Amino acid sequence: MPDVFIGLKEAATFEGVTYEALKKRVQRNPGQYKTKTQPQEGGGKEQALIAVSSLSPKGRKAWRAAQKVDGRDVVIEKRTESAPWYVGVDLNHYTEQHKKEFYEAVELAARVQDFIEYDGPENRTAYAERYALGLGVSPQTLYRYMSNVLKANAWALKLEKEDGQNRDYFRALALCRKPKEKATFPSLTDEQKALIENIWFDHRFAANLGTIEMLYEKFEEVAEGRGWESYPSIKTVARYIKHLMDSRGAESARYLAANGSREWKNKKMLKGKRDATSLKVMEYVVGDEHTFDFWVQWVAPNGKVKAVRPKLVAWMDMRSRAIVGDVACVDANNQTLKESLVKMLYSHPGGVPHILHVDNGKDYTAKTMTGQSRKKRNIEFEFDAETVGFYQSIGIEEVGRSLPYQPWDKPIERFFSTVCSKFSKWFESYTGTLTGSKTYAKRQKDVDGMLERGELLTMEEFFEAWTEWKETKYHTREHRGLKDAGEKWVTPISLFENGERYEKAAPPREYAAMLLMKADTALVRNQGITKFGTLYTDYELCHYVGKHVGIKWDIDDVTKLYVFDEEGRKICEAVSAELLAFGPHCSQAALERHLRDQKRQEKEMREILEDMRRPYELRVQEGGRPSSAVGMIDLTIKAERSPKVIALPNDKEYRAEAAASRKARKKTSGDEFLTNKADDALARLRAMNE
């Protein structure tokens, strides 16, 4: 074993004596102490060193204690010049890969540490030879083991001083072989690796499900174009791709490249799990629609019987997971959603929710539901006084929307998965999902043949089966989510009926009936509004001729239209007009009513016109609001007259004066003619006499 030499001052500390005392001992007994000298770093007199093996048992024990416990800086610095491979190793990963080798090294390291700490009377060299023989190795190998363990101890002590963590396992690792580096691919240059990665992770290449063969074909083209003298085989490229896909995050990254952000978020992004135990029943309700994976028969409005996949529009109470307001249809629209919402208000289980969380789809965010156009992407659910603000108008205080393309934001999606696996698959007409890439899940069924043979359930029969499953299977069975959350009641219906509840009275049913009316827009013409091939009219429509207005109607009573302006304010209730027939077929009452409305409209328009033409001075005198315009001019063209008239006569005065003038002109017209003739004759006589 190579001796370890330390300075005399350090050795004196371990012996418990002064430097001078130890110096005198060495001088008196030179054969007892093994010493040597070495130049000092700064030059000058050489430094005297003494072997640790030459110290007394007390001194050697103190030195070993220093190496093991307090890690004296001088010892650490001496043996931690370069970090061995195991300093930064992942211990768990290494032990999993080299379990047998590691645990054999643990036992060997303990034996070597015992040898290091030996303080017996036997000669060290003789003891080492005998100890090595017991281990089945040579003394040189034992000394090498000892050196590795001492270095491991020093590094363990150094790191322990930094972070306080014990690393005794360094001893075992110091006796293990350094693992070979894998996946170095020496035949691939950095440029070639980059090219492979660029092609493999290209979004167009990944989206088209590009293969390794396709990649290598492109790889060869680029290699030839760049003038590479040699390049690896397709097997090497394939191994490198496998190495890439096994690396952290690579598989997810290629999925993103191949499928886009929306699909990646659905399948690969971390999902958050929400805690619903703090909610009250009906405090938070989420809504969505679901298309079933089976077929039923449906009678279209034209009488044709068709095979369709029914759709379900439903709401879920987040506290109890109970389904409320569920309705079935062929094509879900905002009208269907209104019907489902009203059903939730007045059915059991159900009620008025405090917060409504709706889908981001067009049906849930339609203008008739939210009061805002979907073109305004920053929809914040501000509502009108009328029914265009549907949700809050029925008492729902808060409305939120799901994040676009993020179905995990809607917990009801998990319920629909349960429906697929535990309800839909029992139907004979089940065909599996008809969308997506899971082609193995699709079932081939003769749906048309089943329709012809009358084997498909009707829409009504299907909904009866759905309702029975919901009430007897889903609502009354233990819900794993409720159980895991530690709820007292673990079935949806029991928690709905017994849990703490958000209470708010529903609006009158008559108001809900108004909300359920169909809605549209219409152009007001000078005859009224034409809808369903029928003319609807009301006097108030005269102010909106040529404009578009909102209309609503009861599907069970189309004799009346409810008309609203662009702001949602009610204009009138237009009724189906009685057409004015020709000649004797025309109703006298209808004609008289029409003439009265015409006269009324004309009178009203003239009054408005007169008001608009009233001069500023008159408006001020009459207390009217003066015009905000300044410097107005007279735009009419008229003849210039002498300003003799001070004031215009009133109507009666004007007519009286005009009549008197006409009489005077008639009376004097003959006399005036004769007078003129006499004057002319008199002038001629005077000229002759002259």
Side-chain angles (χ1 to χ4, degrees):
M1 169 184 171
D3 282 313
V4 178
F5 288 85
I6 60 177
L8 287 180
K9 288 184 179 180
E10 187 180 3
T13 303
F14 293 137
E15 291 285 1
V17 297
T18 64
Y19 170 77
E20 292 297 331
L22 181 61
K23 182 178 179 182
K24 289 180 180 179
R25 287 183 187 180
V26 174
Q27 291 175 346
R28 287 195 298 266
N29 302 286
Q32 181 180 347
Y33 294 97
K34 188 175 182 180
T35 62
K36 70 176 184 179
T37 59
Q38 69 177 20
Q40 298 193 58
E41 294 181 0
K45 188 178 180 181
E46 290 186 338
Q47 181 185 13
L49 302 176
I50 186 172
V52 174
S53 60
S54 301
L55 301 179
S56 66
K58 176 184 176 182
R60 294 195 300 271
K61 185 175 182 179
W63 178 83
R64 287 193 296 270
Q67 313 309 301
K68 185 177 180 181
V69 180
D70 61 7
R72 298 289 295 272
D73 292 341
V74 64
V75 176
I76 293 175
E77 291 178 5
K78 206 168 184 178
R79 293 185 176 145
T80 58
E81 294 178 354
S82 60
W85 67 269
Y86 50 79
V87 170
V89 77
D90 185 338
L91 180 62
N92 292 327
H93 179 264
Y94 181 85
T95 55
E96 284 295 324
Q97 299 296 319
H98 309 86
K99 189 174 295 183
K100 181 180 179 182
E101 180 184 357
F102 176 76
Y103 288 113
E104 289 177 351
V106 170
E107 184 179 356
L108 178 60
R111 299 285 300 277
V112 173
Q113 187 65 35
D114 290 341
F115 174 75
I116 294 172
E117 297 176 357
Y118 175 74
D119 192 29
E122 189 176 356
N123 179 272
R124 190 78 177 176
T125 303
Y127 180 73
E129 292 178 353
R130 187 167 59 84
Y131 203 88
L133 183 62
L135 293 177
V137 298
S138 65
Q140 292 78 11
T141 301
L142 176 61
Y143 294 149
R144 179 167 55 83
Y145 288 167
M146 178 182 169
S147 178
N148 292 342
V149 171
L150 288 173
K151 187 174 184 177
N153 289 341
W155 273 99
L157 290 169
K158 179 179 180 177
L159 297 179
E160 185 178 350
K161 290 182 67 176
E162 295 176 358
D163 59 15
Q165 301 295 318
N166 181 282
R167 292 177 176 83
D168 286 346
Y169 60 86
F170 276 5
R171 300 171 187 167
L173 293 175
L175 301 178
C176 296
R177 291 183 178 180
K178 180 182 179 180
K180 295 181 179 179
E181 293 185 8
K182 297 181 178 180
T184 57
F185 298 95
S187 62
L188 285 171
T189 66
D190 292 341
E191 184 181 7
Q192 292 169 346
K193 291 178 181 178
L195 176 60
I196 295 171
E197 294 166 8
N198 294 161
I199 300 174
W200 187 249
F201 289 96
D202 180 81
H203 71 93
R204 292 163 295 186
F205 184 85
N208 289 348
L209 304 178
T211 63
I212 294 176
E213 290 76 11
M214 293 170 60
L215 182 147
Y216 193 74
E217 182 180 349
K218 177 61 69 174
F219 182 85
E220 286 184 313
E221 292 179 8
V222 177
E224 294 175 1
R226 297 182 181 180
W228 293 344
E229 295 181 359
S230 63
Y231 48 85
S233 65
I234 188 173
K235 291 183 178 180
T236 302
V237 173
R239 286 191 295 106
Y240 184 66
I241 291 175
K242 184 180 183 304
H243 164 69
L244 286 177
M245 297 302 289
D246 290 338
S247 61
R248 181 176 178 270
E251 190 274 335
S252 180
R254 193 165 193 267
Y255 191 92
L256 173 61
N259 301 281
S261 177
R262 176 179 179 180
E263 187 67 17
W264 178 84
K265 289 179 179 179
N266 292 343
K267 299 296 178 74
K268 299 295 183 179
M269 181 179 280
L270 291 175
K271 311 299 192 297
K273 185 176 181 180
R274 295 184 171 181
D275 181 18
T277 57
S278 60
L279 298 173
K280 298 179 180 179
V281 175
M282 292 304 293
E283 182 179 358
Y284 194 98
V285 173
V286 297
D288 203 356
E289 61 184 62
H290 170 71
T291 302
F292 289 94
D293 296 327
F294 56 81
W295 299 78
V296 300
Q297 62 171 317
W298 172 69
V299 181
N302 60 2
K304 187 177 180 180
V305 180
K306 297 181 178 180
V308 297
R309 295 170 67 199
K311 289 183 173 63
L312 180 75
V313 177
W315 306 84
M316 173 185 281
D317 170 50
M318 281 306 302
R319 174 66 189 280
S320 65
R321 311 302 202 273
I323 301 301
V324 296
D326 51 317
V327 296
C329 59
V330 176
D331 293 307
N333 51 39
N334 58 59
Q335 184 66 27
T336 310
L337 301 177
K338 288 182 180 182
E339 293 170 355
S340 69
L341 192 54
V342 171
K343 181 180 179 180
M344 175 178 64
L345 299 180
Y346 301 105
S347 303
H348 179 79
V352 178
H354 180 228
I355 300 172
L356 202 68
H357 191 89
V358 300
D359 185 30
N360 195 55
K362 64 180 181 180
D363 296 329
Y364 289 84
T365 56
K367 186 174 182 179
T368 54
M369 298 289 283
T370 66
Q372 294 191 32
S373 171
R374 282 179 57 84
K375 294 181 180 180
K376 300 179 181 179
R377 302 313 302 174
N378 58 338
I379 296 177
E380 298 180 353
F381 292 95
E382 298 177 356
F383 300 91
D384 297 334
E386 284 293 338
T387 60
V388 291
F390 181 75
Y391 298 114
Q392 287 189 350
S393 66
I394 60 176
I396 300 171
E397 297 186 9
E398 296 184 33
V399 180
R401 289 184 300 130
S402 294
L403 300 174
Y405 311 127
Q406 300 188 19
W408 63 87
D409 192 48
K410 300 175 292 182
I412 196 173
E413 292 281 358
R414 292 192 289 273
F415 167 73
F416 290 146
S417 297
T418 302
V419 171
C420 291
S421 60
K422 296 186 177 182
F423 175 73
S424 300
K425 291 184 178 181
W426 287 104
F427 283 75
E428 180 66 24
S429 59
Y430 176 79
T431 54
T433 179
L434 299 182
T435 60
S437 59
K438 296 183 178 180
T439 56
Y440 63 88
K442 300 175 183 178
R443 304 290 91 187
Q444 299 295 328
K445 300 290 182 67
D446 183 14
V447 176
D448 293 336
M450 297 175 70
L451 177 65
E452 293 178 1
R453 295 188 297 270
E455 298 175 357
L456 298 180
L457 272 66
T458 65
M459 183 71 78
E460 292 74 18
E461 291 171 338
F462 142 70
F463 194 73
E464 289 180 5
W466 157 256
T467 303
E468 182 180 0
W469 179 86
K470 179 192 67 175
E471 295 178 352
T472 62
K473 300 292 180 63
Y474 176 73
H475 275 170
T476 58
R477 290 188 177 179
E478 181 180 280
H479 194 288
R480 188 177 66 180
L482 300 179
K483 185 178 180 180
D484 293 344
E487 293 282 7
K488 180 179 180 181
W489 296 278
V490 295
T491 66
I493 194 64
S494 62
L495 180 55
F496 187 93
E497 293 176 343
N498 298 288
E500 185 180 5
R501 189 180 183 89
Y502 170 78
E503 296 284 356
K504 185 165 186 174
R509 289 180 177 268
E510 294 78 9
Y511 183 66
M514 171 66 76
L515 297 178
L516 281 175
M517 291 183 178
K518 296 282 188 178
D520 200 356
T521 59
L523 176 65
V524 180
R525 304 182 185 277
N526 56 7
Q527 293 181 330
I529 299 172
T530 301
K531 188 70 175 178
F532 313 118
T534 303
L535 181 66
Y536 296 83
T537 185
D538 185 86
Y539 174 76
E540 293 297 325
L541 294 179
C542 69
H543 303 293
Y544 297 88
V545 175
K547 297 181 180 180
H548 283 86
V549 294
I551 58 173
K552 285 190 169 188
W553 66 94
D554 189 344
I555 58 176
D556 298 322
D557 182 12
V558 293
T559 61
K560 182 187 299 181
L561 293 181
Y562 299 86
V563 187
F564 304 84
D565 64 14
E566 293 181 349
E567 301 298 324
R569 292 183 292 267
K570 187 176 179 180
I571 298 173
C572 64
E573 297 179 8
V575 297
S576 55
E578 182 179 352
L579 299 181
L580 301 178
F582 292 96
H585 303 287
C586 179
S587 167
Q588 184 65 27
L591 182 59
E592 291 177 356
R593 183 170 59 251
H594 178 66
L595 293 175
R596 284 198 304 270
D597 288 342
Q598 285 184 327
K599 291 181 179 180
R600 178 184 172 186
Q601 182 184 0
E602 183 180 5
K603 181 182 177 183
E604 188 172 344
M605 295 305 103
R606 290 188 178 278
E607 290 176 350
I608 294 174
L609 185 60
E610 183 180 354
D611 186 64
M612 294 300 173
R613 291 175 173 178
R614 187 179 295 113
Y616 171 81
E617 292 80 8
L618 289 179
R619 297 186 185 191
V620 175
Q621 292 176 5
E622 297 172 3
R625 182 181 64 86
S627 173
S628 59
V630 180
M632 292 184 296
I633 61 174
D634 188 356
L635 300 179
T636 58
I637 301 174
K638 54 184 177 288
E640 296 293 336
R641 303 294 183 187
S642 175
K644 293 181 179 180
V645 180
I646 300 176
L648 293 176
N650 59 37
D651 199 34
K652 289 182 179 179
E653 291 175 341
Y654 177 79
R655 286 198 297 270
E657 291 179 1
S661 178
R662 287 195 297 272
K663 289 180 180 179
R665 286 198 299 271
K666 289 180 181 179
K667 183 178 181 180
T668 60
S669 60
D671 294 341
E672 184 178 354
F673 176 77
L674 294 174
T675 302
N676 291 336
K677 290 293 186 180
D679 291 341
D680 185 50
L682 182 60
R684 290 177 180 176
L685 288 173
R686 288 176 178 172
M688 290 174 63
N689 290 332
E690 293 178 356

